[in-house]
Amino acid sequence: MCTDEVHDRRDPWLPDHLLKTERDLLMPLLRRTPAEAFELRTACPGWTARQVLAHCGAALVRIVEGRLEEGVFLPDANACDVAEREDWPLDRILDELERGLTEAGPVIAEREDGRLDAVALGEWVHAGDVREAFGEPGAYCGDALELALPLLSVTSRKRETPRLVGVLADRGGGEVDLGNAIEGRPPARFHGDAATLIRIYSGRPLVRTRYELTGATEQELLIYR
């Protein structure tokens, strides 16, 4: 297992790789999906697939254009961004999203503090929200998972979650090391599949999942609160 020093070493281009990989996987699906499907509800309370995608595009283009005023990405600001796009044609929302997925990564890489890395991970999670709403396979996993897991490892430390060792049954029993060691407290343990681990850390519904979690609660592991 890797040491904390190795886990904490930031790859500034990892968010860019994740966003562009997700662009190439997600955009063809969105372009061919009938318009009525975008009105389906998602795991994000009160938001349809269309609104989730509007939020994603708005957030990424804010990064691209440097519009990161105080309070950006908080719930009220996110709601305002979505409301501004209520009258946009669907194609315009998708075009903005594709632009953001293409252009935001290099801007995120330039931030030495890594504070925007979690936004890239959140965009990938939201893509899972949309896939799940559409009834598509691969929500919260898929081909980009190899990039999302190391980004989750770094983000879980920055968001000060307790240390957890995850044993991923669908990845040959491979382990992931997340969060921060707490003196006098042994690492929590997770046994289950990778998509369920992502659901726990991102606060997504756990209905119909099977997993074992000891030494921590789901609430303690949330990276988006």
Side-chain angles (χ1 to χ4, degrees), residues 59 62 67-75 77-78 81 116:
R62 278 186 173 278
R67 294 183 289 109
L68 301 174
E69 63 270 15
E70 185 177 354
V72 70
F73 305 142
L74 292 179
N78 291 338
D81 283 342
L116 296 177

Side-chain angles (χ1 to χ4, degrees), residues 100-119:
L101 291 169
T102 301
E103 299 180 17
V107 181
I108 293 172
E110 291 175 358
R111 290 285 298 257
E112 294 184 1
D113 59 11
R115 291 184 63 185
L116 296 177
D117 291 7
V119 177

Side-chain angles (χ1 to χ4, degrees), residues 90-103:
L90 178 59
D91 283 346
R92 185 178 175 187
I93 288 175
L94 298 184
D95 288 345
E96 182 180 56
L97 174 63
E98 187 163 7
R99 177 195 173 195
L101 291 169
T102 301
E103 299 180 17

Side-chain angles (χ1 to χ4, degrees), residues 160-181:
E160 300 182 349
T161 63
R163 188 179 175 206
L164 177 142
V165 176
V167 180
L168 305 181
D170 58 334
R171 293 168 62 81
E175 293 187 355
V176 292
D177 194 342
L178 308 175
N180 304 293

Side-chain angles (χ1 to χ4, degrees), residues 4-207:
D4 285 349
E5 180 181 356
V6 172
H7 276 294
D8 286 339
R9 190 178 302 151
R10 175 179 180 250
D11 175 357
W13 289 100
L14 182 58
D16 182 57
H17 295 328
L18 178 61
L19 291 173
K20 286 178 178 172
T21 298
E22 191 55 48
R23 175 200 63 193
D24 294 344
L25 294 169
L26 182 65
M27 294 311 303
L29 168 65
L30 299 180
R31 298 289 188 186
R32 67 174 181 263
T33 297
E36 57 268 22
F38 291 84
E39 302 308 318
L40 292 169
R41 295 288 170 176
T42 69
C44 302
W47 277 4
T48 63
R50 185 184 193 280
Q51 290 168 322
V52 167
L53 296 169
H55 158 62
C56 289
L60 290 172
V61 170
R62 278 186 173 278
I63 291 172
V64 171
E65 297 178 350
R67 294 183 289 109
L68 301 174
E69 63 270 15
E70 185 177 354
V72 70
F73 305 142
L74 292 179
D76 286 348
N78 291 338
C80 285
D81 283 342
V82 172
E84 288 175 4
R85 287 156 176 77
E86 280 298 318
D87 295 331
W88 284 20
L90 178 59
D91 283 346
R92 185 178 175 187
I93 288 175
L94 298 184
D95 288 345
E96 182 180 56
L97 174 63
E98 187 163 7
R99 177 195 173 195
L101 291 169
T102 301
E103 299 180 17
V107 181
I108 293 172
E110 291 175 358
R111 290 285 298 257
E112 294 184 1
D113 59 11
R115 291 184 63 185
L116 296 177
D117 291 7
V119 177
L121 180 61
E123 296 287 313
W124 179 79
V125 171
H126 278 317
D129 298 333
V130 172
R131 283 191 178 89
E132 187 166 62
F134 288 175
E136 292 286 329
Y140 315 114
C141 55
D143 292 343
L145 182 65
E146 295 288 343
L147 299 169
L149 283 175
L151 195 51
L152 174 63
S153 181
V154 173
T155 303
S156 68
R157 284 172 167 75
K158 288 184 176 293
R159 298 298 170 93
E160 300 182 349
T161 63
R163 188 179 175 206
L164 177 142
V165 176
V167 180
L168 305 181
D170 58 334
R171 293 168 62 81
E175 293 187 355
V176 292
D177 194 342
L178 308 175
N180 304 293
I182 299 175
E183 186 176 357
R185 178 174 174 175
R189 303 283 298 187
F190 168 89
H191 290 260
D193 61 54
T196 299
L197 185 69
I198 296 292
R199 287 177 182 273
I200 290 173
Y201 274 86
S202 60
R204 266 43 183 185
L206 294 164
V207 177

